[in-house]
Amino acid sequence: METDSAILHDFSPLFRQYKSGRVERFSGTTTVFPSPLDPTTGVSSKLAVIDPFTPVSACLYLPPNPPSTSKLPILLYFHGGAFCIESAFSQTYHPHLTSLASRARLLIVSVDYRLAPEHPLPAAYDDCWSAVKWVFSRADPWLALFGDLRQVFLAGDSAGANIAHRMAVRAGLEGFGFEGMALVHPYFWGSEAVGSEGREESWRAWMDGLWRAVSGGGKGMDDAWINPAAEGEETVARLGCRRVLICVAERDPMRERGRAYWEMLKSSGWRGEVEIVETEGEGHVFHLEKAEGDVKVRELMDDLVTFFTKDREKGWEGDRLANDCA
């Protein structure tokens, strides 16, 4: 009992890990069961098993009245939570993704990956890459019937945005390409502060310790997993997507990291399109914490919908991806 109560790491309000190995999470534990029909949007959702042995699963969202003569773009979504809390079935994400599926007419695959510290990185990266391959294998009936493999997007918030970037990097290195990628308040960091406002300093010790805990202690703050600036120029130039949207928030401690990522892509030799939008007066993942009717939440949703519906008829390398990942 004494060992079970002895604390190894305390990263409240996220989690506390005990020397016994037990992990106590303080957020993101309330789940929502998928529903055949959301009464407000008409969106259907369901559980899909990607790998029963790891295990990896996903929550799929299908907008109402899917077309019979055409296909829907697919969005691979990776939830946030600092790699250590939340899930694809969390109450935090279900309303947001239901609304996004309805408004942007997307078939969404929200990936439920393993969490740190029990499963430190690269477990989440490996699980999400398994989900990428699973999508292009058309293993699920919804994907086979309704999904357009020429138009596959990546997206995520916070740690999920970090994962989306890692998936695009790996795709580029393996010769694959996605139609686009939306990074909302991306979880990037580094040993040296960026920007001129000093907003990172008060978070530095906490962020450094958290990163050590979720990465298994073997990765520093300037590893490419957490600091995209550490990527080689050739790697960045081969980023595997055609378009990128970066969303930052004025009061987010990671705001300058998102802006630095935007600048890096513009100067890297990558031949895609990148844009950035900033929400004034708001903090990290505010859109998941405030009501959907909030003005700033609606504006961010509008930006995402516009990004996902732009150039809808122009797929990019999807057929090649489907063949290579099958």
Side-chain angles (χ1 to χ4, degrees), residues 32 106 230 259 275:
V32 176
L106 294 166
R259 298 191 69 86
E275 59 182 308

Side-chain angles (χ1 to χ4, degrees), residues 45-63:
S45 58
K46 69 174 183 177
L47 165 70
V49 177
I50 294 172
D51 182 346
F53 302 105
T54 303
V56 184
S57 61
C59 187
L60 273 60
Y61 297 84
L62 183 69

